[in-house]
Amino acid sequence: MTWNGMPRLALIIALALVLVVSALLGTLWFAQRSFIYLPNTSSPTVPDDAVEVLLRTEDGLELSAWRIDPVGADRSAAVLVAPGNAGNRTGGMPLAGALAGEGFTVLLFDYRGYGGNPGSPTEDGLYADARAAWIYLTDEAGFEPDRIVLFGESLGTGVATRLATEVEPACIVLRSPFTSMADAGRSHMPFVPVGMLLKDRYPVTEYLSESSVPVLVAYAPDDQVVPAEQSIEVATAAEGLGVEVTAVEIDAFGHEDPELVSGPLLIDGIVTLADGLGLK
């Protein structure tokens, strides 16, 4: 028996392949956020050199965060750190300690669903969380917007650049940025229609086109999570907008190498940019 000239066995194989592919795509669609967001949901212990603060989001959540105050000379400038997709705020303490040692106040916060916070992560939700962090710094902590550095790490580069479309920070620091979540996904799964499936898109270069503040892009040639080519493309796109761009290439092995996360080249780049903007 044939169907439109197709032998029965070939038809069965074709239908089986369609079912398998459909099942895989369905799994990716419904479970994609469990692949993107990898929270440590436990509530971390507050370090001795941090002060616990409470952030209130526009959709009614209360999020725990840590403020790390300057060590030594105070720049009267703050760094708002939008973290990556994994862990909790404990992982940000080496960066916060290094920046506090340079006179910055640092705000480490966890997104909804991370670090003991309520809720579940989504792109819009993470943006609301970052906005709550911004409101804390400008309203409760009393920092002027032009004395706040937005710092985005990996996934957080999408959060920080989106926030910068609505606020006017002193500058934006992007560590291991991708051009968009779809591009990052395609680099790992070239045969999957990532662009069609994604719910959360994080279009970093698109958001950058709506901001005019200076940008620092830090990346590692051997980053195995976010290809260096994408980070360089982000820097090039920002440069094409006529904004001041600093690109810092860091010799690090892997996405979470301490040299890339909080090493001296990264910190020196931030300090140099901040000094040039009068944040001293």
Side-chain angles (χ1 to χ4, degrees):
M1 179 178 178
T2 61
W3 181 50
N4 290 338
M6 181 180 290
R8 180 189 291 272
L9 179 59
L11 176 60
I12 292 172
I13 293 173
L15 289 174
L17 287 173
V18 169
L19 289 173
V20 169
V21 171
S22 297
L24 288 173
L25 293 179
T27 299
L28 286 172
W29 170 257
F30 288 107
Q32 62 182 266
R33 284 179 173 145
S34 66
F35 299 135
I36 294 173
Y37 305 107
L38 306 172
N40 180 335
T41 59
S42 63
S43 299
T45 302
V46 183
D48 293 338
D49 50 352
V51 176
E52 189 161 30
V53 300
L54 195 64
L55 311 180
R56 296 174 176 83
T57 69
E58 295 172 348
D59 56 346
L61 297 183
E62 292 188 342
L63 310 177
S64 294
W66 294 340
R67 189 190 72 237
I68 297 85
D69 294 325
V71 177
D74 188 346
R75 291 174 176 264
S76 297
V79 180
L80 190 166
V81 180
N85 71 323
N88 62 31
R89 55 194 177 277
T90 302
M93 283 303 296
L95 172 67
L99 290 171
E102 296 291 344
F104 294 98
T105 297
V106 183
L107 184 64
L108 295 179
F109 73 97
D110 274 322
Y111 304 122
R112 58 191 64 204
Y114 288 72
N117 286 333
S120 299
T122 65
E123 181 176 2
D124 288 341
L126 268 57
Y127 170 66
D129 302 342
R131 188 161 182 79
W134 176 271
I135 290 171
Y136 168 80
L137 284 175
T138 54
D139 291 4
E140 294 185 48
F143 287 94
E144 294 296 325
D146 63 0
R147 299 198 70 81
I148 299 175
V149 176
L150 290 185
F151 187 113
E153 301 177 306
S154 192
L155 178 82
T157 63
V159 178
T161 50
R162 179 170 173 179
L163 183 58
T165 67
E166 295 194 12
V167 301
E168 288 286 340
C171 59
I172 308 169
V173 176
L174 303 175
R175 198 273 286 178
S176 303
F178 45 69
T179 50
S180 69
M181 178 61 73
D183 291 341
R186 277 191 288 265
S187 71
H188 295 283
M189 299 179 290
F191 302 110
V192 176
V194 177
M196 294 174 59
L197 294 171
L198 275 179
K199 299 175 183 177
D200 298 342
R201 311 192 71 82
Y202 298 101
V204 172
T205 50
E206 180 182 321
Y207 288 148
L208 274 179
S209 69
E210 300 179 44
S211 177
S212 59
V213 300
V215 176
L216 184 149
V217 173
Y219 66 96
D222 292 328
D223 193 326
Q224 296 159 346
V225 176
V226 177
E229 293 78 11
Q230 289 197 29
S231 296
I232 294 169
E233 188 174 337
V234 169
T236 301
E239 214 166 38
L241 298 170
V243 301
E244 178 187 343
V245 178
T246 303
V248 179
E249 181 179 307
I250 298 174
D251 185 15
F253 181 75
H255 193 64
E256 296 297 334
D257 189 308
E259 287 296 314
L260 181 60
V261 172
S262 58
L265 281 179
L266 175 66
I267 302 304
D268 288 350
I270 296 170
V271 168
T272 300
L273 177 58
D275 286 349
L277 296 171
L279 303 182
K280 57 183 177 178

